[in-house]
Every structure is written in structure tokens, then in C-alpha cells.
Amino acid sequence: MSAAVTVGLLFFLSAGLNEQVAEGCSCAPGHPQQLFCMSDIVMRAEVTGEKIIHSDDNTPGMGKIQYEIQVIKVFKGFDRIKEIQHVYTNEMSSMCGTRLGRGQYLLSGSIAPDGFFVSMCDYLALWDRLSLMQKKNIKHRYLMSCSCMISTCTEKLCQPSTKNECILTNLSSLWSFEDREPIHESACIRHSDGSCGWYGGTGKPSENDTMDVSDV
């Protein structure tokens, strides 16, 4: 993990957003399912406007951006969505703030005392840039399989240590989200026997719970 994460270098956004690099913000790479499951709320929403909210002492760049949104569909955090009136992000990219234009987005993030925040480190994407498989994962598979665990392994021979584990063997593939890459269309789903395995749209989950994404 330490070899793949360089402080101040790794910043990624999902499909449709420009990659941004800002000194001071560091995001550990993660599979979209991991980012989905770690989020308090995941939704499809339309961004209709924005405004800058300055910090209490008016320090330049230390405020936050407030995005006006219209919620279209909630995929996670159904019981908390009523709390959400706006979406916020830090004004500065060095604090992992991200800029959203007008349009429909997949938004995921965390609820803080002062609102719902999204950042460069969250799973964000222009909705129309997601593939059909990605949308199905977001709508159905990810939430049902948040009890599954996705782990990374850089050794040649990697095997799951528990039955609810799926393994990625090429961590570098997660450094950026490129639209329709097979790794981003995969899901680690729970089987009927309680075990977890990779599903990539081939009709059934793979019986091999290790997926070498360097070859796909």
C-alpha cells in the first residue's frame, strides 16, 4: 500500500471528471465498491448552481463551495437524505475540494456537522459517462455486498484469507477512474453460501476470488 500512495500526488476522480493534482491532498486508491460502501450517502443528483461561502475570518481559499442540487435517486443513506439540502466541498483543491459543473452526477460523500461533503477522494462521476454495468453495480450490487471485503495484494500468488474477501493484484490500476475499464465495472458480490467473489458481467460470479486486473 505504501508504495502505491505518495503523499501529495495521488488524487483521482471517477469517469467524466478531470484528474486534479493539488499539493497537500492525498487519497488512498480504492475500488469504486469500497468508496461506495464507505460513503454515508450515494445519490444521483443534478447540480444546478453554486456559491462560495467564506470562512469566518475571511481567509482567502479557506471557505467552502455550496452546490445547489436536485436529488434524482438515492442509492445509499436513504434514512439520512432528508438532512441534505446542499452539497459542500472545500474551496481549495489542496484540501481535496473538487469542482462540479452543471449537470447530473453520481455523488458520494460524508455527512459532517456542517453538511454533506464531497471531495476528490470520493466516488464522483458525470452520470452519463458511466457505463450500463457501472450503473447496475451502483443501483443494485454494491449496497447488497458491502459486507464483502476487497483487499489488495502485490505478490505473485495471492489467495483470499477469508471467504468474504476479493483480491486485487494490481493496485496501480486504481489510481484513476477511466470510463469503462473492466476493473471499474467489476463488483465483489456475496454468493448464496455466504462467500464473496468477483462479478464482471459474464453471467455469473467467478469461482476464482482473485482477479488479476493487470491482464484485463
Side-chain angles (χ1 to χ4, degrees), residues 4 6 68 128 148 184 214:
T6 303
E68 304 289 338
D128 288 343
C148 293
H184 301 137
S214 62

Side-chain angles (χ1 to χ4, degrees), residues 43-46 69-74 81 84:
M43 61 180 165
R44 175 185 178 186
E46 183 165 0
I69 64 166
Q70 292 183 349
V71 177
I72 298 172
K73 180 72 174 179
V74 179
I81 193 64
I84 307 306

Side-chain angles (χ1 to χ4, degrees), residues 29-88:
H31 187 278
Q33 182 171 335
Q34 292 174 299
L35 303 181
F36 179 103
C37 293
M38 288 188 299
S39 298
D40 292 328
I41 292 178
V42 182
M43 61 180 165
R44 175 185 178 186
E46 183 165 0
V47 176
T48 59
E50 68 173 73
K51 70 176 181 179
I52 303 295
I53 299 177
H54 298 288
S55 62
D56 293 338
D57 59 2
N58 288 320
T59 302
M62 295 304 292
K64 58 187 178 182
I65 303 173
Q66 174 183 289
Y67 292 107
E68 304 289 338
I69 64 166
Q70 292 183 349
V71 177
I72 298 172
K73 180 72 174 179
V74 179
F75 307 113
K76 187 173 185 283
F78 309 98
D79 57 334
R80 307 193 71 176
I81 193 64
K82 292 182 180 179
E83 305 174 29
I84 307 306
Q85 296 180 336
H86 305 97
V87 172
Y88 299 93

Side-chain angles (χ1 to χ4, degrees), residues 31-33 123 129-138 141-142 174 177-189 198-202 211 213 216:
H31 187 278
Q33 182 171 335
Y123 189 16
R129 294 289 302 276
L130 295 170
S131 69
L132 179 60
M133 181 63 69
Q134 288 171 319
K135 291 176 181 177
K136 287 183 177 180
N137 288 339
I138 292 163
R141 300 186 184 104
Y142 287 168
L174 299 179
F177 287 118
E178 294 296 337
D179 194 25
R180 294 178 178 82
E181 281 191 4
I183 181 56
H184 301 137
E185 295 192 336
S186 63
C188 178
I189 67 171
W198 287 112
Y199 177 81
T202 57
M211 182 172 65
V213 297
V216 297

